Amino acid sequence: MGDMEEMMKISLPKGTKDILPEEMKKWNYVERAFSTALRNAGYGEIRIPVFEYTELFNRGVGDTTDIVQKEMYTFTDKGNRSLTLRPEGTAGVVRSYIDKGMSSMPQPVKLFYNITAYRYENVQKGRYREFNQLGAEVFGVEKPNADIEIISVLGIFFTSIGIGNLSLELNSIGCKTCRPTYNEKLKEYYKDKIDGMCDDCKRRYETNPLRLIDCKKENCKAASKDVPYITDNLCEECSVHFAGVKNGLNKMDIKYTVNKGIVRGLDYYTKTVFEFVSENVGTQGTICGGGRYDGLVEALGGKDVPGIGFSMGTERLLMEMDSRGIGFGEERRPEIYFVTIGDNAYAYARKLSCALRRAGIYTEMDLLGRSVKAQMKDANRKNALYTVVIGEDEISQNKAVITIMDTGDKREVSLDSIYKRIIEKKV
Ligand code: HAM
C-alpha cells in the first residue's frame, strides 16, 4: 500500500496552495474586515467569472504588458474559443459594467470583490500563480473625490486589521492628451541608451516607453538615471486633478509620498496611480496597487465613463500581519461539549447538539466512538466553555452535571433544561 500511495501521489501545482482550517480563520477575519470597510462606504459586492474571452485581457490589461505577453493562462475550449483565467479583476468588472448596462444606473457605481487570480509568474515569496485579490472599482466620477474616497477607505481597512501605517506612494501618469508628447520625449531620452538595455525594454521602447522607467534590471535602472518623469510633464487637466487629489488627502491628514517612478504594470491607467508598500512582503513589497482608468470603459465598448480602483493580494496582507505579529481576532470556543457514554446517550446528545447548532450555538461532540477520557481530553483541547457528561443514568433520572471548564465548577441540572440554559446563557 505504501508503494502504491507513493506512486499515486499527486503534488500541488507550482505556485498554488491549500488553505487549511487553522489558516482559513485568518483569511475569514481579513475578508470580513474588508467587506465591512467597503460596505460601510456604500460599496456592493460583485462576483465575476474565473475565465473570460482572451480578447478582454488583450484589450483591457493591454497587449504590451508582461501580464498579457508572458503570464496568462490561456486555453482553447471544446468549442474552439480562446479563454483566459483572469490575471486580475478590473477588466472583468469593467466588462460586467458594460454588459449589464450599469452606466444607466444611478452613478457612481461602487463595487468590491474578493477573487482568485492567475498569473504564470516566477514563484517566490509573496508571488504565486494562483493568488487572491481584494479589490474595488468606482465608475462615473471624474473629480478627485473618488480617488480620495478609495484611498481613505483603504486606510480605514488597514487600520481595522492593525496595519494602518503602510506607506502610500502616489503619482500621476497623465492622459491621452499629455502621454503621447511625453512618450516622444522619453524615446528621445532613451534613443542612444536603448542598445544597452534588456530585450524587454527594447520591446517596450516601441510599444509602451513609459514602462522603461520601471525595469528592475541593473543596466536599465542605470540608463533611467536622468529620465524625465511624466509627473513633471502633465497637461493642465491632469495637473489640476493631481493637485486636487493631494489637497484632499492633506485635508484628511492622510500621509503619502509622491513617487514619480510609479508607472504600474497595466496599460489602462490614466492620471492617479498609487501603491501601498511594505518591506515585509518580498522583493516587490507592494501590498496594494491601484489607480484611475478613465478610458477603459470606452476602450472595451462602453460609454465614456471614468473609473478608478485598487486591488491587493490577500496573501501579502496576511504576510504583513504575520510579520508584525498581529492577532486575528478571538478564537471561537465551543460553548458546549457533550461527552457521552453508550448508544442511547449518544443519540440523545446528537439530537440536542443539532437543536443547539440550529439556534446558533457552537456545539461539539465526538464522532469517533472515543472513551470518556478521550472525549474529555478533546473537550479540553478544543477549549470548550462547558462540558456535559451524559450516560444511561442521566437519561433515566433526567439529570446531568455541567462542568464550567475555566473554573472546574460543577452544577447538577435537569437534562431537559440544558437547551434552555445554554440558549439563555444561564449555566
Ligand atoms: P496589480 O498591481 O497587478 O494590479 O496587482 C494588485 C495586487 O495584487 C498587488 O499589489 C499584489 O498585492 C497582488 N498580486 C499581484 N500579483 C500577484 C502574485 N503573482 N502573487 C501574489 N499577489 C499578487 C491589479 O491587479 C489591478 N487590477 C489593480 C486595480 C484595480 N487597479 C484599478 N483597479
Side-chain angles (χ1 to χ4, degrees):
M1 191 63 205
D3 285 352
M4 192 71 169
E5 264 176 18
E6 204 45 53
M7 238 167 60
M8 307 275 287
K9 199 175 146 223
I10 296 170
S11 60
L12 205 54
K14 193 171 172 192
T16 67
K17 65 190 160 304
D18 299 315
I19 312 169
L20 304 187
E22 230 6 78
E23 185 69 14
M24 208 52 223
K25 289 178 192 165
K26 302 180 177 181
W27 284 73
N28 290 152
Y29 174 79
V30 167
E31 289 169 344
R32 259 198 301 272
F34 182 69
S35 155
T36 302
L38 273 290
R39 283 181 200 284
N40 285 349
Y43 291 67
E45 183 166 5
I46 182 169
R47 292 254 164 112
I48 49 170
V50 169
F51 56 83
E52 302 262 6
Y53 289 123
T54 304
E55 184 64 14
L56 173 70
F57 303 115
N58 290 348
R59 278 163 56 195
V61 173
D63 44 23
T64 69
T65 59
D66 285 355
I67 294 181
V68 170
Q69 298 235 329
K70 307 182 197 163
E71 297 171 1
M72 293 208 302
Y73 281 91
T74 297
F75 59 99
T76 309
D77 77 356
K78 294 197 166 90
N80 219 19
R81 300 169 194 95
S82 179
L83 299 170
T84 294
L85 302 185
R86 58 186 175 210
E88 54 106 56
T90 311
V93 174
V94 171
R95 197 258 320 124
S96 174
Y97 180 86
I98 299 165
D99 202 35
K100 296 293 168 299
M102 290 189 230
S103 63
S104 10
M105 295 174 181
Q107 305 294 300
V109 171
K110 308 204 292 186
L111 304 166
F112 76 90
Y113 50 87
N114 175 4
I115 60 169
T116 52
Y118 304 84
R119 296 184 193 175
Y120 192 78
E121 302 221 53
N122 290 326
V123 176
Q124 49 183 280
K125 188 180 173 198
R127 180 173 287 175
Y128 315 97
R129 293 187 173 168
E130 180 187 63
F131 58 99
N132 290 261
Q133 284 190 336
L134 298 170
E137 313 291 344
V138 178
F139 296 95
V141 185
E142 212 167 328
K143 289 185 165 48
N145 293 343
D147 314 39
I148 297 159
E149 175 173 283
I150 61 165
I151 289 173
S152 73
V153 169
L154 273 168
I156 293 167
F157 165 64
F158 291 139
T159 306
S160 78
I161 57 168
I163 56 171
N165 52 348
L166 290 176
S167 316
L168 166 59
E169 303 197 344
L170 191 67
N171 196 16
S172 173
I173 58 168
C175 66
K176 58 177 188 275
T177 310
C178 42
R179 189 91 55 81
T181 330
Y182 171 70
N183 279 346
E184 286 314 311
K185 208 168 180 172
L186 267 186
K187 284 175 117 170
E188 187 56 36
Y189 169 84
Y190 283 113
K191 200 171 60 188
D192 50 6
K193 301 183 176 64
I194 193 71
D195 283 348
M197 297 174 76
C198 71
D199 286 347
D200 279 339
C201 281
K202 289 194 178 100
R203 181 168 51 77
R204 290 174 188 138
Y205 182 80
E206 297 302 336
T207 54
N208 191 1
L210 191 60
R211 291 298 310 284
L212 291 170
I213 298 177
D214 200 26
C215 189
K216 304 283 182 289
K217 301 209 175 71
E218 282 312 320
N219 273 355
C220 307
K221 263 168 60 183
S224 299
K225 198 165 65 65
D226 302 312
V227 74
Y229 287 106
I230 177 107
T231 331
D232 304 317
N233 290 275
L234 297 175
C235 63
E236 176 68 12
E237 189 188 309
C238 288
S239 299
V240 170
H241 187 93
F242 195 34
V245 174
K246 288 187 285 187
N247 196 15
L249 295 176
N250 292 340
K251 282 194 178 141
M252 299 197 59
D253 293 324
I254 295 173
K255 303 245 175 323
Y256 60 86
T257 41
V258 173
N259 179 347
K260 295 180 183 179
I262 293 186
V263 294
R264 308 277 303 131
L266 302 94
D267 270 359
Y268 45 64
Y269 291 111
T270 55
K271 294 183 178 162
T272 315
V273 289
F274 62 86
E275 292 182 349
F276 283 87
V277 295
S278 156
E279 63 278 6
N280 295 325
V281 293
T283 46
Q284 297 302 306
T286 308
I287 291 188
C288 174
R292 190 167 265 284
Y293 44 86
D294 289 349
L296 184 59
V297 177
E298 196 176 20
L300 292 177
K303 298 200 174 123
D304 180 13
V305 177
I308 180 165
F310 64 81
S311 60
M312 52 199 151
T314 318
E315 290 83 358
R316 294 192 190 176
L317 277 173
L318 292 168
M319 271 164 69
E320 178 67 16
M321 292 173 74
D322 272 335
S323 69
R324 295 197 199 188
I326 288 166
F328 291 87
E330 289 281 302
E331 190 66 19
R332 209 173 159 214
R333 299 174 67 177
E335 288 185 51
I336 186 153
Y337 192 115
F338 288 111
V339 174
T340 64
I341 314 161
D343 292 347
N344 274 343
Y346 190 78
Y348 185 96
R350 184 157 56 192
K351 254 180 128 166
L352 194 48
S353 295
C354 220
L356 285 163
R357 287 172 182 168
R358 209 175 285 132
I361 302 289
Y362 175 13
T363 308
E364 280 282 2
M365 59 183 290
D366 176 51
L367 292 178
L368 297 173
R370 280 182 281 209
S371 69
V372 172
K373 199 173 150 206
Q375 291 181 61
M376 283 306 268
K377 207 170 144 192
D378 192 40
N380 264 318
R381 194 174 53 81
K382 294 203 162 85
N383 204 11
L385 284 165
Y386 310 116
T387 52
V388 177
V389 180
I390 305 178
E392 290 297 335
D393 287 353
E394 281 74 13
I395 294 181
S396 63
Q397 292 163 32
N398 184 30
K399 65 168 176 53
V401 174
I402 294 186
T403 307
I404 302 167
M405 299 297 275
D406 285 345
T407 59
D409 287 353
K410 293 183 191 306
R411 227 146 275 169
E412 194 176 274
V413 298
S414 70
L415 196 52
D416 54 20
S417 73
I418 287 179
Y419 179 85
K420 205 162 173 281
R421 281 171 183 275
I422 296 289
I423 297 281
E424 292 174 2
K425 307 211 183 297
K426 285 187 194 149
V427 174

